Amino acid sequence: MKIGIFISGTGTNMAAICRNFFENRLTGVDEISFVLSDKKNAPGLEKAEKFGIKTIILPKKKDEAKEDYETRLLEAVSPFGTKLIVLAGFMKVLGTTFLSGYEGKIINIHPSLLPSFKGVDAQGQAFDYGVKVSGCTVHFVDETLDGGPIILQQPVFRQDDDTNETFKARILEQEHILLSRAISIVSCGNYSINGRYVLVGR
Ligand code: GAR
């Protein structure tokens, strides 16, 4: 299956996917067709170029309507014929204009155990709340914020001497593993959905 990756920032999740792909550890994926960033200076772009992957920079224009931006996004990615789009630190919430073109074909990594701590800085929200365990989630993307059916989750326990930064770093380490596992599951069609429940391995 051909996949595309959307990023907004550092792109460490994207780089982990690329590493797994080029080391033949990403079952079901034949090609990473592009890495798209909505931020011109996202450090992840350089990482993608080092892997030799085509990069696309597509920022939202000032005052541009969400629908118009998403139409441009669709136009930019549809020529690649990718069957799966992976949001790897893409910080825009996609609406129906984009989603209608890729229903059930977009997955996202979020740095908390959803449905807890949706939105930005989920790790900081969890840390400040004082949770003993948080983690990361890969889920299908629908029109709700961080709300689509969950594919995989990985708990990460907070240690007493964790700072916000160390907790975040240990969650990120697990994200790098979890996202590639989820990509392979979806690419191989190794799942079924029963209501909101994603049954892996059927
Ligand atoms: C990751 O922690 C990812 O889970 C998070 O942004 C970070 C991107 O890091 N995404 C979200 O918060 C989406 N709601 P990266 O650019 O180094 O992969």
Side-chain angles (χ1 to χ4, degrees):
M1 182 182 280
K2 287 162 121 188
I3 69 166
I5 306 174
F6 283 16
I7 63 166
S8 295
T10 3
T12 65
N13 274 289
M14 176 275 300
I17 298 166
C18 293
R19 253 192 321 276
N20 285 332
F21 175 72
F22 287 112
E23 290 169 11
N24 293 318
R25 281 186 277 119
L26 205 57
T27 319
V29 176
D30 306 312
E31 179 184 295
I32 299 176
S33 306
F34 62 82
V35 168
L36 180 145
S37 172
D38 65 322
K39 295 275 182 285
K40 199 169 68 189
N41 298 320
L45 287 165
E46 207 181 305
K47 292 189 178 77
E49 279 159 15
K50 282 193 182 141
F51 281 105
I53 293 171
K54 180 172 176 53
T55 55
I56 304 168
I57 303 171
L58 202 73
K60 186 172 175 294
K61 293 176 195 156
K62 194 169 170 279
D63 300 329
E64 183 179 24
K66 188 177 167 101
E67 294 73 21
D68 295 340
Y69 175 63
E70 292 192 3
T71 302
R72 289 201 296 123
L73 265 184
L74 277 176
E75 285 168 1
V77 305
S78 50
F80 292 93
T82 45
K83 294 282 179 278
L84 177 68
I85 289 186
V86 179
L87 308 185
F90 184 68
M91 299 311 274
K92 278 200 167 48
V93 179
L94 292 168
T96 46
T97 306
F98 190 83
L99 294 178
S100 57
Y102 285 92
E103 218 172 311
K105 294 177 180 168
I106 309 177
I107 65 173
N108 178 49
I109 178 98
H110 185 76
S112 75
L113 293 178
L114 289 170
S116 292
F117 309 117
K118 297 179 177 184
V120 293
D121 191 23
Q123 309 94 320
Q125 292 183 51
F127 188 88
D128 291 346
Y129 195 87
V131 298
K132 300 284 181 180
V133 56
S134 188
C136 47
T137 302
V138 182
H139 63 91
F140 285 107
V141 173
D142 63 14
E143 64 292 343
T144 61
L145 174 68
D146 299 324
I150 290 167
I151 304 165
L152 291 176
Q153 291 189 299
Q154 178 62 46
V156 175
F157 287 87
R158 176 168 165 177
Q159 291 164 2
D160 290 344
D161 60 354
D162 260 335
T163 62
N164 196 350
E165 284 65 38
T166 58
F167 195 40
K168 190 172 173 171
R170 288 193 301 106
I171 292 171
L172 188 63
E173 228 173 81
Q174 295 305 315
E175 290 184 42
H176 294 167
I177 300 166
L178 199 72
L179 185 51
S180 285
R181 278 181 54 209
I183 292 170
S184 283
I185 288 164
V186 176
S187 297
C188 294
N190 194 20
Y191 69 98
S192 59
I193 304 186
N194 183 4
R196 280 193 56 87
Y197 192 75
V198 179
L199 194 59
V200 173
R202 302 290 164 100

